Amino acid sequence: MLEIILYAVGFFICTIFLQWLLHKVRKNHNQGSSAIWVGTGAIIVICVIGLMTKNINYFVAILGFIIGDEVGKQAGWQ
């Protein structure tokens, strides 16, 4: 159970950090269709990695990613 929580919290923190970092590095151009580490494209990649590694924890990580993605939208980082 702890491993599941760590995956969700870990992906949440990584998502928030990467969106903030890319927002700063790309000078507010981490938006629209050229955005990196946001939206359904990243969710699909996480799902594929989970299927390839047969690790169910990646599907729990999607929840952390989605929450982090929404926080990034609210903060204006994407």
Side-chain angles (χ1 to χ4, degrees):
M1 184 66 177
L2 179 62
E3 187 177 2
I4 290 173
I5 293 170
L6 289 176
Y7 266 88
V9 171
F11 267 78
F12 172 77
I13 291 171
C14 286
T15 302
I16 293 295
F17 176 72
L18 287 175
Q19 285 184 0
W20 172 80
L21 182 67
L22 290 170
H23 177 74
K24 295 296 181 189
V25 170
R26 296 182 77 191
K27 305 293 187 230
N28 300 330
H29 287 91
N30 193 38
Q31 300 176 350
S33 61
S34 66
I36 300 172
W37 196 250
V38 297
T40 56
I43 292 172
I44 291 170
V45 169
I46 296 169
C47 284
V48 169
I49 291 171
L51 288 173
M52 289 173 36
T53 62
K54 297 179 182 168
N55 188 346
I56 194 70
N57 294 326
Y58 278 93
F59 297 108
V60 176
I62 291 171
L63 294 175
F65 173 80
I66 291 171
I67 294 169
D69 194 40
E70 289 299 318
V71 170
K73 285 180 188 175
Q74 295 298 319
W77 297 336
Q78 56 163 311

